[in-house]
């Protein structure tokens, strides 16, 4: 209670004044909200391949804040005729939805003045491989269902904490893509 | 030309006999195609969080082939009020689609007897953050469009190589989820 007169500039590790200043900047210049993210993938062998993520365009310019690239391998496990050099591509979808909902939750909690103590989630996705194996035309290729289970502790009622997750869902980019789909265009230069 | 009598068991790093044996095993026992993948995420601070991926259920049992977990951080860049401890969640979607299409391409090429020399892809995703920032109800939260550009070299005509990519698209789990969406269920234990 000794810091009651100290301006609170961060909560949950979120710089709240900067968060609101960013919102104000976008309100004043909506065009800076146009972002283009990128990834580059190189095949290595079999189902093993590697993605590099670094630059993106946003806020009116090319971002240069990442001094090193992020590098991620993907592969299949032996049971799917791979060599376990990385998770399967579909498991990265589970990471993406958990990470997006969790980041949003921390931001929304900070904006609402709620201090979080713990946020953990488990994600499960059910998939029937008869689809991708081409063995049953009635089975889809992708997940039949994805389930995300959150455990959240913080300085608010259980109802308020659950409402933070719900608001994060309503504003989640990954949730939107995974539930509503998006346009995916593929082109090939061969030879 | 000295190995013309050697049985060819691998192409593109794909163990083709095992690939076909796996297909036969699933045809004989379709229930082994039911898979459940999992991820576990822990919030660290602000938009920074960490996912662990290791076990999954498939082929009628819990997989134990991964002796170490795969661990991935996600975060926002400074321009989005984060600290760059990892890519954004939406960038992992770009990794997932490139990795899935590339793994399928290698398998399909091997099954068709096509030797690949190089597969590279770049992925871009356009997103207008007015959606997730709650500043324009007419703008979606997720990507407006994702574009995947492949460069493929191999021992086949450009048309045949392009057809491999097309068949991979038709059998891609990630492409299906990203274009058609899926059911996502979220629950919360709070307090």
């Amino acid at each position: 209670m000794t810091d009651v007169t100290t301006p609170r500039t961060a909560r949950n590790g979120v710089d709240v004044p900067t968060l609101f200043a960013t919102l104000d900047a976008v309100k004043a210049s909506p065009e800076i909200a146009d972002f283009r993210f990128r990834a580059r993938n190189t095949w290595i062998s079999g189902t093993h391949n590697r993605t590099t993520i670094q630059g993106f365009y946003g806020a009116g310019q090319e971002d240069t804040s990442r001094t090193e690239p992020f590098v991620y391998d993907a592969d299949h496990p032996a049971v799917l005729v791979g060599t376990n050099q990385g998770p399967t591509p579909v498991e990265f979808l589970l990471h993406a939805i958990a990470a997006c909902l969790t980041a949003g939750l921390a931001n929304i909690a900070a904006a609402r003045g709620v201090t979080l103590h713990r946020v953990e989630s488990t994600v499960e996705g059910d998939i029937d491989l008869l689809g991708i194996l081409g063995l049953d035309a009635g089975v889809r290729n992708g997940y039949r269902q994805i389930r995300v289970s959150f455990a959240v502790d913080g300085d608010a009622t259980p109802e308020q904490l659950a409402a933070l997750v719900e608001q994060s869902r309503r504003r989640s980019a990954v949730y939107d893509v995974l539930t509503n789909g998006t346009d995916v265009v593929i082109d090939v230069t061969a030879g």
Side-chain angles (χ1 to χ4, degrees), chain A residues 86-152:
Chain A
T88 60
V90 289
E91 289 170 290
F92 281 103
L93 297 181
L94 307 184
H95 166 46
I97 184 69
C100 193
L101 291 169
T102 299
L105 172 57
N107 275 341
I108 293 161
R112 293 184 181 182
V114 174
T115 297
L116 297 172
H117 300 309
R118 181 178 71 105
V119 180
E120 294 184 354
S121 57
T122 58
V123 192
E124 292 183 336
D126 298 330
I127 190 166
D128 182 344
L129 300 187
L130 293 179
I132 66 170
L133 294 174
L135 297 177
D136 186 337
V139 174
R140 70 177 295 179
N141 294 321
Y143 283 122
R144 184 169 56 238
Q145 185 181 69
I146 294 171
R147 292 174 299 283
V148 189
S149 293
F150 273 97
V152 183

Side-chain angles (χ1 to χ4, degrees), chain A residues 1-137:
Chain A
M1 309 303 273
T2 57
D3 65 347
V4 64
T5 61
T6 304
R8 184 178 290 280
T9 59
R11 188 186 300 265
N12 304 326
V14 177
D15 183 335
V16 179
T18 299
L19 183 63
F20 282 110
T22 300
L23 279 165
D24 287 340
V26 177
K27 279 180 202 169
S29 305
E31 71 280 3
I32 67 174
D34 267 326
F35 274 61
R36 176 169 295 176
F37 290 107
R38 304 186 199 103
R40 177 179 293 273
N41 183 279
T42 301
W43 173 60
I44 296 173
S45 180
T47 52
H48 180 205
N49 56 79
R50 181 169 293 156
T51 292
T52 301
I53 296 170
Q54 185 166 10
F56 62 88
Y57 178 87
Q61 60 189 331
E62 188 67 21
D63 182 81
T64 57
S65 68
R66 296 164 169 175
T67 53
E68 297 287 334
F70 298 113
V71 180
Y72 303 103
D73 284 21
D75 197 359
H76 286 189
V79 69
L80 297 174
V81 201
T83 57
N84 258 341
Q85 301 299 306
T88 60
V90 289
E91 289 170 290
F92 281 103
L93 297 181
L94 307 184
H95 166 46
I97 184 69
C100 193
L101 291 169
T102 299
L105 172 57
N107 275 341
I108 293 161
R112 293 184 181 182
V114 174
T115 297
L116 297 172
H117 300 309
R118 181 178 71 105
V119 180
E120 294 184 354
S121 57
T122 58
V123 192
E124 292 183 336
D126 298 330
I127 190 166
D128 182 344
L129 300 187
L130 293 179
I132 66 170
L133 294 174
L135 297 177
D136 186 337

Side-chain angles (χ1 to χ4, degrees), chain A residues 149-163:
Chain A
S149 293
F150 273 97
V152 183
D153 291 337
D155 290 343
T157 67
E159 291 72 21
Q160 288 168 328
L161 295 172

